[in-house]
Amino acid sequence: EAGVTQFPSHSVIEKGQTVTLRCDPISGHDNLYWYRRVMGKEIKFLLHFVKESKQDESGMPNNRFLAERTGGTYSTLKVQPAELEDSGVYFCASSQFANTGELFFGEGSRLTVL
Amino acid sequence: AQSVTQLDSQVPVFEEAPVELRCNYSSSVSVYLFWYVQYPNQGLQLLLKYLSGSTLVKGINGFEAEFNKSQTSFHLRKPSVHISDTAEYFCAVSPGTYKYIFGTGTRLKVLA
């Protein structure tokens, strides 16, 4: 069974440009999450989808970040325009249930904004 | 609100020696506790979790952790480490939701 897959693994862009990160959850997992780790700091929650609906986006830093989950399958996280402080590793995770047990994480997408 | 403290940012240890990675948390409600590991160029992998029951939890790859409610700790231990255990380890808590609160991570470096 395929795990959570993320693309790209690493992206380097200039300040002001746009980047779109993609996440494919484990098949059958209705719950999808985005987390972010800024260099050297803790991994922080960004948002939670149940199928195609945003359940909780309380962790999104500002309106330059837009997350979507078309048809309840894969999800994208767009940063537009990117700023230096957006650099970090963006993790996607999925789970069958939202309130117990384990989140299954992808390898992360490393974003470097120059 | 919850918080997690991993005081050791880096821990060097010789191969076959024991290791303890420390994790302390703060919470006004009951929490679930987790240890995740990130090997180089890989995603976060669950090592072990405490949801309820026995306070000594055994995980994969010979790791174990003990939940100590009075000291609000969940330290990770392994009696004998291998080179392959070199990775970054994250402690996390959850009040029973998907909003995990992570520590800043501990880089374990196993030396030959």
Side-chain angles (χ1 to χ4, degrees):
Chain A
E1 179 183 322
V4 176
T5 56
Q6 293 187 244
F7 182 82
S9 58
H10 192 188
S11 182
V12 181
I13 61 172
E14 302 264 333
K15 175 183 172 180
Q17 290 185 321
T18 298
V19 64
T20 300
L21 310 177
R22 172 172 169 144
C23 169
D24 287 78
I26 292 172
S27 177
H29 282 190
D30 288 339
N31 295 276
L32 185 149
Y33 318 85
W34 285 96
Y35 280 75
R36 175 176 78 166
R37 187 186 191 199
V38 171
M39 198 59 66
K41 305 221 169 173
E42 64 270 28
I43 302 167
K44 285 192 172 180
F45 168 82
L46 295 179
L47 87 158
H48 169 216
F49 283 99
V50 176
K51 297 185 181 178
E52 67 275 10
S53 301
K54 290 178 190 173
Q55 286 294 110
D56 181 351
E57 51 185 331
S58 60
M60 295 286 265
N62 52 61
N63 59 12
R64 295 185 292 103
F65 289 75
L66 175 64
E68 294 180 323
R69 191 179 182 193
T70 307
T73 55
Y74 70 91
S75 174
T76 58
L77 180 64
K78 180 190 286 188
V79 185
Q80 180 182 29
E83 298 289 344
L84 298 178
E85 64 264 26
D86 301 332
S87 295
V89 181
Y90 291 77
F91 290 100
C92 178
S94 70
S95 69
Q96 190 171 6
F97 304 109
N99 293 330
T100 60
E102 175 184 359
L103 299 187
F104 295 85
F105 284 85
E107 295 182 5
S109 289
R110 180 176 296 277
L111 173 63
T112 303
V113 183
L114 303 175
Chain B
Q2 293 78 39
S3 67
V4 176
T5 302
Q6 292 181 250
L7 284 174
D8 304 308
S9 58
Q10 294 188 67
V11 174
V13 62
F14 284 103
E15 193 174 18
E16 297 184 8
V19 69
E20 178 179 83
L21 305 184
R22 295 180 294 168
C23 173
N24 288 86
Y25 70 92
S26 172
S27 178
S28 58
V29 300
S30 296
V31 293
Y32 299 149
L33 297 146
F34 306 85
W35 274 99
Y36 280 83
V37 60
Q38 185 176 24
Y39 298 105
N41 301 316
Q42 294 187 29
L44 292 170
Q45 181 181 0
L46 181 69
L47 264 182
L48 47 80
K49 61 187 176 186
Y50 172 79
L51 303 182
S52 65
S54 173
T55 57
L56 182 62
V57 181
K58 294 192 183 297
I60 62 172
N61 299 338
F63 284 93
E64 65 179 32
E66 185 157 21
F67 169 53
N68 188 319
K69 189 174 182 179
S70 62
Q71 296 188 2
T72 60
S73 67
F74 191 54
H75 300 332
L76 181 70
R77 302 185 186 100
K78 186 169 182 178
S80 175
V81 295
H82 303 287
I83 296 288
S84 59
D85 292 322
T86 294
E88 190 159 19
Y89 293 79
F90 296 91
C91 181
V93 302
S94 163
T97 73
Y98 48 82
K99 277 187 181 177
Y100 284 23
I101 310 300
F102 283 88
T104 50
T106 298
R107 289 186 181 273
L108 175 64
K109 175 71 173 176
V110 181
L111 308 169

